Amino acid sequence: MKTEAGTVLQDTLSRVKPLDEGLGELAQARLDILTKPQGSLGRLEEFARRLVQITGEKMPLLEKKAIFTFAGDHGVADEGVSAFPKEVTQQMVLNFLGGGAGINVLARHAGADVAVIDIGVDHDFGSLEGLITRKVVSGTRSILKGPAMSRDEAIKCIEVGIELADEFHKKGFKLFGTGEMGIGNTTPSSAIAAVITGRPVSEVTGRGTGITDESLKSKTEVIEKAIRVNSPDPADPIDVLAKVGGAEIGGIAGICIGGAANRVPVVVDGFISTAGALIACELEPKVREYLFSAHLSVEQGHRAILEKMGLKPIFELDMRLGEGTGAALAMLVIEAGLKIYREMATFEDAGVSESGA
Amino acid sequence: MKTEAGTVLQDTLSRVKPLDEGLGELAQARLDILTKPQGSLGRLEEFARRLVQITGEKMPLLEKKAIFTFAGDHGVADEGVSAFPKEVTQQMVLNFLGGGAGINVLARHAGADVAVIDIGVDHDFGSLEGLITRKVVSGTRSILKGPAMSRDEAIKCIEVGIELADEFHKKGFKLFGTGEMGIGNTTPSSAIAAVITGRPVSEVTGRGTGITDESLKSKTEVIEKAIRVNSPDPADPIDVLAKVGGAEIGGIAGICIGGAANRVPVVVDGFISTAGALIACELEPKVREYLFSAHLSVEQGHRAILEKMGLKPIFELDMRLGEGTGAALAMLVIEAGLKIYREMATFEDAGVSESGA
């Protein structure tokens, strides 16, 4: 970081503009003369309309797509909150680079690149082909004992995301997706959800990768204690991210903000990604208009955050893998809406009679 | 038809075998050693498992995919049940052949071919490149005045679907989708739904392409009267199809039966397609195991039929276009499940630690 911590963030937040209503009407007017009953493609039409508004282009084309999969470790993973050992974070980073993980398969299916970012893994990968190294922390500290990160570190995590969004925008990427890997990271996500939505911890805490009833009880207590210990200020999203968050969650917040500032639509994956998106929207509510919620995760806090943000997920397929898998799949549906808009014949072109209704 | 009406149908129904439980366990065992928490890909795993069971192949590949879009007209369309004039059926057939309709766009997106079949349009297209002509009726008769078709015609419609399923199976198509076009065809679909589910007509009747409150009331009365006039026997699905159904609905039932008999999975589109699938499943309940429900339509009777069949839709995107559009989109999600199964690395291959839970 060459500039003072927060300058990039503040500048980028100020670049986020509201969507143009006129463009939305223009897009809907075209959708309404295509050979189908008006509105009959439901949310596909909504996606097309919003893509026109977001990009500011009358005929947008989402050629290059990227999923940003941020990896980070969590001190709290040592407190028995996950079914998997912490080493899995670094092992999965290698799996991402090798192309064998769920996100690789689904991103290939969707025609998207996967950008794997070490933003906070507790391991030195050295120089590794394909890995984007932007390490802000080597794992967060245990939130049971104090803040996960310093305020400056939290800001830096968001700025890493913003800088990647700027960079990929310049390289011609037209659609972003968010993803993450970090053993233990449903714990900070539930903590963020509880603090910002004001709901009880037990209501927004789930089984993550698959813990037992007993571990779920203990995980809930860990989160309750972490919130007591750190007293994050619900009105200050950076404070929440620093005290009970995680590096990859900050990176995701940055992609949301950077996407919005560059007029690039962002597909937000599941629970952890949505916790990042929530931080972004708390910093600047207009960011929300640039986001698509990919799917409703099994993780029970997800619904609460989505409701708080007013986002409606595209899928509900009982998924809970993270990595950006839901975002990759949702990209195919969002693109379907755009293709409808771009490629369908009009009533006039096709010589089809319109509704008499 | 060279054989007596019903022979092909009976022979094909008898070819439908139950799914092999052992194959399902084999597929799940593979899914469980892939680098993800067990079950974390939710319904994608269910799709992969079922594709293995349906095809009987340990590593299925769905290279060639086809959507069957059956077109038919309805005498009842003259009773003010639709927002569009009847001519739109034939006009849309030309739009399908020209590649400008919603189904063309979404099938291209999904890498599927569209087979357009005239099974009952009230128009002589002559010889038209790309159109599959298997006309059983030139529009059905008004169900207000008597049966839509004779019993033999209804059977013949189903057999047209079966023969196409056989033919496309022989050509190497591995995944089928159903679709339809027929102005007025939510009316016979609601009638079928009411008769077979036993629910009141008003509960299973919706606005179709977009009729007013007043027209909805009149449409409901038309359906109630049609059921009174024809007294279809709920225990005899052919009787229901003949008396209050439609040619394209019969064709769809045939694709479901023929797909199942040939171990080809069938993706069932929205309300009208599901009415066809319901006829198929009433004839042979094992057909259901070969079906995927693409999406929950806005059309309110759809949920009732899906419940009756025990099928859970993949999407809920407020779509109500028909043609096979939802099926095309759902193919992309079903294939995603198969790719996960085929392409993901195992814990052992990737050197990733397994869950300690």
Side-chain angles (χ1 to χ4, degrees), chain A residues 318-338:
Chain A
D318 303 333
M319 288 164 66
R320 52 178 171 85
L321 177 56
E323 302 179 0
T325 47
L329 209 52
M331 281 180 168
L332 283 165
V333 181
I334 293 166
E335 259 197 303
L338 186 59

Side-chain angles (χ1 to χ4, degrees), chain B residues 129-166:
Chain B
E129 202 186 319
L131 181 65
I132 301 174
T133 306
R134 303 280 167 99
K135 209 188 271 287
V136 178
V137 294
S138 286
T140 57
R141 290 178 290 274
S142 172
I143 56 177
L144 267 188
K145 289 156 194 158
M149 299 178 276
S150 70
R151 189 175 179 91
D152 276 3
E153 284 166 342
I155 292 171
K156 201 164 167 187
C157 287
I158 300 177
E159 292 185 339
V160 162
I162 289 174
E163 284 157 2
L164 286 166
D166 285 346

